[in-house]
Amino acid sequence: MYKQLFEHIKKTCPNYPEEDLNLLLPYFESKIITKKSLFLKVGDVCNTAAFAVKGCFRYFTTNSEGEEFITRFAFNDYWVGEIQGMIHGTPSMVSIEALEDCSVLTISATDYNYLLQNSRPFADFIEKKFAKAFQSAEIRSSEFAESAENRYQILLSKFPDITQRVPQYYIASYLGITPESLSRLRKKSIS
Amino acid sequence: MYKQLFEHIKKTCPNYPEEDLNLLLPYFESKIITKKSLFLKVGDVCNTAAFAVKGCFRYFTTNSEGEEFITRFAFNDYWVGEIQGMIHGTPSMVSIEALEDCSVLTISATDYNYLLQNSRPFADFIEKKFAKAFQSAEIRSSEFAESAENRYQILLSKFPDITQRVPQYYIASYLGITPESLSRLRKKSIS
DNA sequence: AGCCAATCTTATCCTAGATCAATTTTTCTA
DNA sequence: TAGAAAAATTGATCTAGGATAAGATTGGCT
């Protein structure tokens, strides 16, 4: 479990000192998040972040018609939670739900902020992660310049096995179309 | 000009020490960016950030059909440029164009990074700005859960005078619809 | 194995927004 | 200030995707 977290960190920061990795250990706790449970609810302040060792999550909001809209997915080796909210104490704009039983390593907002202040390597790591997240958010919105079909293809190219792990109606929600439309679209692109 | 920048900083960070504000002065340069000129081009690394004292910019990308798509606007009191790119040296995913003659205060990537390392208040300020930008990016994509008409209303509520400053076909591009559709949509919502 | 619920597909019809084309209005610019 | 270019509107027609409804599959559970 920790090995996977360390690999993840080293992939982002190849120079992360080995001894600093070990310093992280006491701050993390291994947990199972059961399928369908909410890790975070809209309006709540995120007080825990989780590194997904195994599993799958959806982030979602509700539009003015009361319909759910999936803003993103998170899989193995993703961080789950609202890092921003943990630092600034701002309430979350999204809810996060486990789509499977997920095995995670959690860290409290308190410990997270402590590490951020007291471990340069950790702060650098988070800074990089955050930059990446920002970029993803920008990409996400510009994808709406594409047709639904293109958006679907883009999603597939990023997550080739997503159709095996995520129900199709959630994928449709992510794409901003109905499940029926996605079904037709898939039929068309197969033939 | 500087007064406006300082006010902007103090609005974000009320505790920004007065003396640290004055330390910023030598790093900024006052410039005019003429209408229709590109401040940054897709693929280039952003080597300058600008604080917009007066003016108006559009950020845009090109989709797979070769059509321009506006990802955001920036007005007075906005920072223009790719802060991320300036830190990490990553090439820009967007182009930035001035929609009017713009009066700005620029800072080079070098000075920017220097301040980030050597001025705690400045680093905190940027950190807050960045958190805000991230939030905006997330909001931007979730707005596509709304109808075009709603998206237009949301835009108007954020920038009530945008129709006076930005050509309608750019607003249409931002909304992800054609100028013709926006024209109809406006006609409908007026009556 | 067998049943109920969740998920996905298919068909029909409908609507928001696209496309194409022609004006009209506004804005530059010589 | 006239004339050209840019921007916005309007009309007619088309299409991607929505809504509704009915089946077909799949997947837990007991």
Side-chain angles (χ1 to χ4, degrees), chain B residues 3-187:
Chain B
K3 191 160 167 266
Q4 192 176 333
L5 172 59
F6 292 171
E7 286 306 316
H8 167 78
I9 293 175
K10 279 193 282 192
K11 204 172 153 199
T12 309
C13 299
N15 301 323
Y16 207 104
E18 204 68 37
E19 60 273 27
D20 286 277
L21 284 176
N22 291 315
L23 289 177
L24 298 177
L25 275 168
Y27 301 103
F28 283 90
E29 195 178 339
S30 167
K31 277 195 187 150
I32 298 290
I33 300 176
T34 57
K35 184 169 176 172
K36 291 202 175 157
S37 66
L38 279 187
F39 178 74
L40 179 62
K41 208 164 88 246
V42 171
D44 288 357
V45 174
C46 184
N47 58 13
T48 314
F51 173 74
V53 173
K54 203 198 79 39
C56 171
F57 296 84
R58 69 183 179 109
Y59 286 53
F60 63 101
T61 47
T62 302
N63 73 6
S64 61
E65 312 279 273
E67 301 153 346
E68 279 183 8
F69 173 70
I70 294 186
T71 61
R72 50 200 243 231
F73 296 107
F75 302 96
N76 308 353
D77 290 311
Y78 275 69
W79 286 87
V80 180
E82 283 232 314
I83 304 189
Q84 275 328 92
M86 301 222 305
I87 301 174
H88 300 103
T90 47
S92 175
M93 296 187 308
V94 295
S95 295
I96 305 177
E97 185 195 291
L99 296 179
E100 323 172 338
D101 289 341
C102 299
S103 160
V104 300
L105 293 171
T106 62
I107 178 168
S108 72
T110 315
D111 289 346
Y112 173 82
N113 282 303
Y114 173 81
L115 284 175
L116 225 40
Q117 295 301 321
N118 298 97
S119 167
R120 191 92 275 266
F122 186 75
D124 287 345
F125 166 72
I126 293 299
E127 209 269 318
K128 279 198 188 170
K129 280 281 121 187
F130 191 41
K132 190 83 189 304
F134 181 65
Q135 194 184 36
S136 301
E138 300 249 273
I139 291 174
R140 169 81 168 120
S141 55
S142 32
E143 277 170 2
F144 282 97
E146 303 289 339
S147 68
E149 184 160 0
N150 281 163
R151 296 203 298 280
Y152 181 55
Q153 293 303 335
I154 292 169
L155 182 66
L156 287 187
S157 69
K158 282 185 195 161
F159 308 109
D161 62 345
I162 195 171
T163 52
Q164 270 76 64
R165 301 187 68 176
V166 175
Q168 217 159 284
Y169 59 92
Y170 282 148
I171 296 178
S173 166
Y174 178 85
L175 297 174
I177 60 179
T178 60
E180 293 93 329
S181 293
L182 177 56
S183 176
R184 284 189 190 105
L185 196 147
R186 297 184 74 209
K187 192 179 170 191

Side-chain angles (χ1 to χ4, degrees), chain A residues 167-169 180 183-184 186-187:
Chain A
Q168 217 160 285
Y169 58 90
E180 292 92 334
S183 178
R184 274 186 297 239
R186 298 184 73 211
K187 192 180 170 187

